[in-house]
Amino acid sequence: MALPVAFFALFFAWPVAAIVARGLRMDGAWHLGRIADVVAQPDIRHVLWFTTWQALASTALTLLLALPAGYVFARLDFPGKQVLRAVVTVPFVLPTVVAGSAFLALVGRGGLLDELWGVRLDTTVWAILLAHVFFNFAVVVRTVGGLWAQLDPRQEEAARMLGASPLTAWRKVTLPALAPAVAAAALMVFLFTFTSFGVVQILGGPTFSTLEVEIYRQTSEVFDLSTAAVLTLVQFAAVGAVLAVHAWTVRRRETALRLVDPGATARRPRGAGQWALLASVLATVALLLVLPLAVLVSRSLDAPGLGYYRALTRADGGTFLVAPVHAVWTSLQYAVAATGIAVVIGGLAAAALARRDAGRLVRGFDALLMLPLGVSAVTVGFGFLIALDEPPLDLRQSWLLVPLAQALVGAPFVVRTMLPVLRAVDVRLREAAAVLGASPWRVWREVDLPLVRRALLVAAGFAFAVSLGEFGATVFIARPDNPTLPVAVARLLSRPGDLNYGQAMALSTILMVVCAAALLLLERLRTDRTGEF
């Protein structure tokens, strides 16, 4: 726990505390009464209410649509499965401003629904809810489906042989085993939607505003750092309460599971019910996930002769100091470094949290690990600039600043992906290996690693994908001569003109292709025929 605790203390707790203190401490005195004044404002209360209920509704809708897909990917085998799994994950890493614009092209004025049926959703909350499903679909599929694929199907089959109906067997046997993974996925979806920024800003307009949007507005438009600091504390308290409830609930439901090779659990669809389920999942993916991505590609090809792509190779001397295409290589370098940091930090934390003899203090750190997902990225970005500007941690000119910020978001995904599998390993296997004379390192290498290797690869893929698409904090700390892909896209979208918009769509398409290629490679690695997972 030493390294994870030090990492989060230095690169999360300290920067956030620095920016909050800057907002609440004026003229050498603390103004804590400002908290009550801000919360009492009617418009702020309306923002708090909308932030909460839209996050709950988005989480429920995502689980409803994505859990069947988790079953399909875990239990059914069909052509193109690996490619489709990568496609499902791509929306999760797209910059919110770009994906929000693409979704607006589907449901807004002049969009596909408007052209076909005269229906517009951009002025309703449904556009926000559906866009949140678009982003978070992969979280449920990969988190729940990853564990589902390793559950021994013979346990459910035994219940059916004893007279249980398929629904009863699933409810009594499979669902309790999946409960920790479902809770982890629901928690991540809730945190992402609770702190939603780009989607609400684009699709909500002046009608809808979340805490994240309000913090950005108070910081960048109104220049009221005091109000922004109060809203950050409110967001921090709300997320902390949710994480505490989650940790208590999951701990009560922990159990040792019989895990098997996931390649042995998937079968060709059998019966009309499984074929119908597969067809419905494919239709959902096509309409909700693939269609917005197709809009991005089509817009990037509007200029004849790949004009928008050719323009990416030229530096205009204004928006960028280098050619925009340079952001591709920069993003890949940052993402690889951030993935390495996230895997080390998250893997160590997951290993410590999975121990049955872990103390209460260690178990409490489980909830704290998720706080970077629930705290405003705007706050974290400003905090980096304020806190990490003096020796011995003067990192403002260091290239490590961006990977460190990205790893803060990637590490919780590593923990949440690996922890259910580590906790599901039967402790008697470790004890038997120890009795036979194996050292603790050999026990980990021979017992735990074969079972969690697949989860480790999935976690690394998640961390890499999240690092590629991280925008909120990176936009404040990325150097002008080394912009990341999301930052480059945002800069192009902020400038008027068809050429800038087309280049933004071209860069977004490149980001989508790079992410899909990386995830497809991950799928091939984790389904290697050696049978080692």
Side-chain angles (χ1 to χ4, degrees):
M1 290 298 297
L3 189 57
V5 169
F7 178 80
F8 279 91
L10 288 176
F11 301 113
F12 174 69
W14 186 17
V16 171
I19 191 66
V20 171
R22 181 70 64 91
L24 295 182
R25 186 177 175 85
M26 294 174 287
D27 300 326
W30 291 92
H31 294 264
L32 299 181
R34 179 64 175 161
I35 298 177
D37 295 339
V38 171
V39 175
Q41 298 176 14
D43 55 338
I44 297 298
R45 288 187 177 182
H46 177 74
V47 169
L48 291 173
W49 168 245
F50 175 75
T51 301
T52 303
W53 84 259
Q54 67 82 24
L56 291 172
S58 297
T59 302
L61 186 60
T62 303
L63 290 175
L64 178 65
L65 295 177
L67 282 178
Y71 170 83
V72 166
F73 282 108
R75 291 295 196 226
L76 301 184
D77 188 20
F78 52 91
K81 179 178 176 179
Q82 294 182 20
V83 175
L84 188 63
R85 193 193 301 268
V87 170
V88 164
T89 311
V90 169
F92 183 71
V93 302
L94 289 179
T96 54
V97 289
V98 176
S101 298
F103 213 86
L104 186 64
L106 296 179
V107 302
R109 177 180 300 175
L112 184 61
L113 293 183
D114 193 14
E115 292 179 355
L116 295 178
W117 298 293
V119 176
R120 288 182 55 192
L121 299 177
D122 58 318
T123 56
T124 70
V125 73
W126 281 106
I128 296 175
L129 299 182
L130 291 176
H132 283 160
V133 176
F134 170 82
F135 275 110
N136 297 295
F137 195 87
V139 175
V140 178
V141 170
R142 300 187 73 95
T143 304
V144 179
L147 179 59
W148 207 334
Q150 291 184 275
L151 293 182
D152 192 345
R154 291 175 295 183
Q155 299 180 59
E156 188 173 328
E157 293 170 358
R160 296 191 59 183
M161 291 182 63
L162 294 175
S165 65
L167 180 60
T168 301
W170 180 83
R171 183 169 54 88
K172 295 290 187 180
V173 178
T174 304
L175 184 58
L178 289 175
V182 173
L187 172 69
M188 286 189 285
V189 174
F190 180 85
L191 289 180
F192 281 126
T193 53
F194 189 82
T195 59
S196 182
F197 174 63
V199 168
V200 178
Q201 188 179 40
I202 293 175
L203 299 177
T207 306
F208 303 107
S209 179
T210 58
L211 273 174
E212 188 81 1
V213 174
E214 191 63 23
I215 291 173
Y216 177 80
R217 191 180 74 85
Q218 295 291 337
T219 303
S220 302
E221 298 178 9
V222 184
F223 304 108
D224 188 350
L225 193 58
S226 175
T227 299
V230 171
L231 294 180
T232 297
L233 289 177
V234 172
Q235 190 179 65
F236 190 86
V239 170
V242 172
L243 294 177
V245 173
H246 165 78
W248 178 78
T249 303
V250 171
R251 194 72 186 178
R252 287 172 57 90
R253 294 192 175 190
E254 288 175 7
T255 182
L257 306 176
R258 180 178 301 180
L259 302 181
V260 298
D261 183 346
T265 62
R267 296 287 186 269
R268 298 282 294 181
R270 292 176 294 181
Q274 290 190 348
W275 281 107
L277 179 61
L278 176 59
S280 65
V281 168
L282 293 178
T284 300
V285 171
L287 294 176
L288 194 59
L289 306 184
V290 177
L291 193 56
L293 300 180
V295 171
L296 291 180
V297 176
S298 66
R299 291 189 175 183
S300 71
L301 298 174
D302 283 346
L306 300 178
Y308 293 145
Y309 289 91
R310 292 203 307 270
L312 295 177
T313 61
R314 301 189 296 266
D316 59 8
T319 306
F320 301 100
L321 300 179
V322 295
V325 73
H326 181 73
V328 178
W329 176 239
T330 301
S331 289
L332 289 176
Q333 290 178 304
Y334 285 155
V336 170
T339 300
I341 297 172
V343 168
V344 172
I345 298 298
L348 289 174
L353 293 169
R355 293 180 59 89
R356 298 288 175 175
D357 57 349
R360 181 174 299 178
L361 183 61
V362 175
R363 293 197 301 268
F365 190 63
D366 184 11
L368 297 179
L369 288 170
M370 298 298 292
L371 284 178
L373 301 181
V375 172
S376 169
V378 175
T379 301
V380 174
F382 273 133
F384 264 53
L385 295 178
I386 292 175
L388 304 179
D389 63 342
E390 296 179 353
L393 283 177
D394 187 0
L395 301 177
R396 289 175 300 174
Q397 302 301 320
S398 173
W399 68 272
L400 274 174
L401 196 62
V402 173
L404 287 172
Q406 294 173 341
L408 274 176
V409 183
F413 282 93
V414 176
V415 175
R416 293 269 66 86
T417 303
M418 293 185 62
L419 196 55
V421 178
L422 282 171
R423 284 175 171 170
V425 176
D426 194 338
V427 68
R428 292 173 296 182
L429 296 175
R430 301 189 184 103
E431 294 171 350
V435 169
L436 293 175
S439 64
W441 166 247
R442 188 174 182 183
V443 171
W444 162 256
R445 181 166 53 88
E446 300 290 345
V447 177
D448 290 82
L449 185 57
L451 291 174
V452 305
R453 185 175 300 172
R454 178 176 182 273
L456 182 62
L457 288 173
V458 173
F462 254 133
F464 181 80
V466 170
S467 299
L468 276 178
E470 204 286 322
F471 172 71
T474 306
V475 69
F476 295 102
I477 57 180
R479 296 173 58 178
D481 57 340
N482 281 307
T484 62
L485 275 171
V487 172
V489 170
R491 289 179 183 175
L492 287 168
L493 286 175
S494 66
R495 300 184 66 184
D498 292 338
L499 179 60
N500 290 314
Y501 185 78
Q503 289 184 86
M505 296 300 102
L507 274 182
S508 300
T509 302
I510 292 174
L511 174 59
M512 179 181 66
V513 172
V514 170
C515 177
L519 294 173
L520 185 58
L521 177 62
L522 175 66
E523 291 299 315
R524 293 179 64 87
L525 289 175
R526 76 179 188 85
T527 55
D528 188 89
R529 293 185 178 181
T530 59
E532 297 181 355
F533 293 86

